[in-house]
Amino acid sequence: MQIMKNILICPKCKCDLIEYDKCYKCPNNHNYDKSKRGYVNLLLANQMNASSPGDNKVMMNSRKEFLNCGYYEQLKNKILDYLEDNDNITIVDLGCGEGYYSYELSFTNTVYGLDISKDMINEASKKMNNKDNSNLHYVIASINNLPFVNSSVDVILNIFAPINLEEVKRVIKKNGKIIKVIPGEYHLYELKEILYDDVYLNTVNEFNDEDIKLINSYDLKYKININNHDLMNILIMTPYYYKTKKQDKEKLKCVDNLDVTFDFIIQEYECLKKR
Ligand SMILES: C[S@@+](CC[C@H](N)C(=O)[O-])C[C@H]1O[C@@H](n2cnc3c(N)ncnc32)[C@H](O)[C@@H]1O
Ligand SMILES: [Zn+2]
């Protein structure tokens, strides 16, 4: 039985996908089964840059545990504030991770959470079933091959994740919005002071694209005391884990707790015209 209208396209032939109970199908008979949890894998083998691309299970578990402690709740509430006047719109959460933001936005909107990591999407989908929510869809795909119809998306949400602006411009509606969150200058400053001898402030960049106009930039900054276990979680869920030498990581083990600055730049852009 056909279920409902959606904005997904077939990654092979780019035709619209029709959603059925247990799968999605295009008119050329390309078939994509839904997983037990309801997500769909639209990532073709030649679109992967590794055998298991994106964040792995270890990073996912640390991120999940950390987010569940509520340290990023202020950021989540700010994102919800940004979108509160926009009920019933179509949002794509690009690089959605374990769905911390997608889930709540789907109470009042249609949300597509997209991530290249199967572990992340599998985890995100657990909440989908709890809520039996037909407005929330999870898709394994790459930011470089967005499986969405042209000009079909009202808002692109992009939090601490990569983005491909050309693909975004293809799928977003005229005057659609991009909400991008990047680390502010002082994000995790005190943690970096423990790990490194020379600590640099993060650089904050904006898109430089004539079709994409920055209409608002907000710096959300607060400090929280974090215990050792959660400090280790921050390290594992961020690129610092791979960038930091083993002997420097050891330094963190001796820190019982630390006041850490969270500094987020929330950039709101408008997409001015279609190609
Ligand atoms: C730092 S996490 C952020 C997750 C989520 N937005 C959050 O803030 O909780 C970055 C995410 O981007 C995903 N990612 C990395 N490269 C990607 C790509 N090429 N296409 C889609 N997702 C990608 C990773 O798998 C990971 O889940
Ligand atoms: Zn097809």
Side-chain angles (χ1 to χ4, degrees):
M1 185 187 67
Q2 183 172 335
I3 299 188
M4 56 187 277
K5 213 171 146 359
N6 71 82
I7 60 164
L8 292 172
I9 56 169
C10 172
K12 289 183 185 146
C13 66
K14 311 292 178 198
C15 291
D16 293 359
L17 283 177
I18 296 171
E19 183 178 5
Y20 297 89
D21 258 352
K22 298 211 160 117
C23 68
Y24 290 86
K25 259 186 204 161
C26 78
N28 295 317
N29 261 334
H30 298 126
N31 185 80
Y32 306 90
D33 288 339
K34 289 184 188 171
S35 75
K36 264 196 294 215
R37 299 214 165 105
Y39 69 81
V40 62
N41 188 345
L42 298 179
L43 184 68
L44 301 181
N46 64 5
Q47 296 168 353
M48 293 189 189
N49 51 7
S51 58
S52 319
D55 286 11
N56 59 35
K57 239 184 200 147
V58 178
M59 294 167 88
M60 183 203 64
N61 283 330
S62 291
R63 173 167 289 276
K64 184 176 136 192
E65 215 181 84
F66 180 82
L67 290 173
N68 283 345
C69 293
Y71 297 123
Y72 280 14
E73 202 162 315
Q74 289 195 44
L75 173 61
K76 181 163 74 180
N77 290 337
K78 198 78 200 164
I79 301 290
L80 293 172
D81 285 354
Y82 265 81
L83 294 166
E84 73 176 352
D85 297 335
N86 292 299
D87 279 5
N88 278 321
I89 57 170
T90 300
I91 300 172
V92 169
D93 186 359
L94 267 192
C96 65
E98 50 90 67
Y100 184 66
Y101 307 93
S102 303
Y103 177 65
E104 285 202 35
L105 285 167
S106 72
F107 296 167
T108 46
N109 301 289
T110 298
V111 179
Y112 290 81
L114 176 146
D115 203 288
I116 202 166
S117 160
K118 187 173 175 184
D119 289 328
M120 285 295 186
I121 291 293
N122 193 40
E123 183 61 35
S125 305
K126 287 183 188 167
K127 280 196 197 145
M128 182 161 85
N129 282 1
N130 291 347
K131 200 173 150 254
D132 190 22
N133 184 349
S134 58
N135 292 332
L136 183 55
H137 309 261
Y138 282 113
V139 187
I140 300 176
S142 165
I143 53 155
N144 298 318
N145 296 280
L146 295 181
F148 304 115
V149 171
N150 293 355
S151 307
S152 59
V153 178
D154 296 291
V155 172
I156 295 278
L157 188 62
N158 185 232
I159 303 181
F160 281 77
I163 192 164
N164 176 330
L165 266 193
E166 286 310 306
E167 272 297 83
V168 166
K169 287 198 274 181
R170 178 180 66 75
V171 302
I172 202 163
K173 292 178 186 171
K174 185 169 164 42
N175 302 119
K177 300 270 162 58
I178 303 170
I179 296 180
K180 180 156 183 73
V181 180
I182 54 174
E185 285 188 328
Y186 288 92
H187 192 56
L188 308 181
Y189 189 81
E190 298 81 359
L191 183 80
K192 294 195 306 192
E193 274 184 323
I194 304 265
L195 296 175
Y196 310 122
D197 296 333
D198 296 319
V199 182
Y200 297 99
L201 297 186
N202 297 316
T203 25
V204 174
N205 294 320
E206 292 168 10
F207 291 143
N208 180 11
D209 186 302
E210 59 172 12
D211 295 341
I212 306 280
K213 182 180 162 210
L214 182 68
I215 49 177
N216 191 9
S217 180
Y218 182 84
D219 189 354
L220 173 66
K221 206 189 288 164
Y222 53 91
K223 231 177 219 190
I224 302 188
N225 187 269
I226 312 277
N227 64 29
N228 180 273
H229 180 80
D230 293 341
L231 287 172
M232 293 310 290
N233 273 339
I234 299 182
L235 186 63
I236 296 169
M237 71 188 225
T238 57
Y240 296 125
Y241 192 70
Y242 299 100
K243 286 188 199 158
T244 310
K245 293 189 205 122
K246 192 160 179 258
Q247 67 262 34
D248 288 337
K249 283 184 211 163
E250 295 292 318
K251 294 182 201 160
L252 203 56
K253 289 193 178 149
C254 315
V255 180
D256 278 347
N257 63 78
L258 187 71
D259 284 335
V260 177
T261 302
F262 295 108
D263 185 5
F264 307 104
I265 305 294
I266 306 170
Q267 296 172 333
E268 188 179 7
Y269 296 90
E270 183 173 356
C271 188
L272 296 178
K273 58 182 177 192
K274 301 304 304 174
R275 283 183 281 180

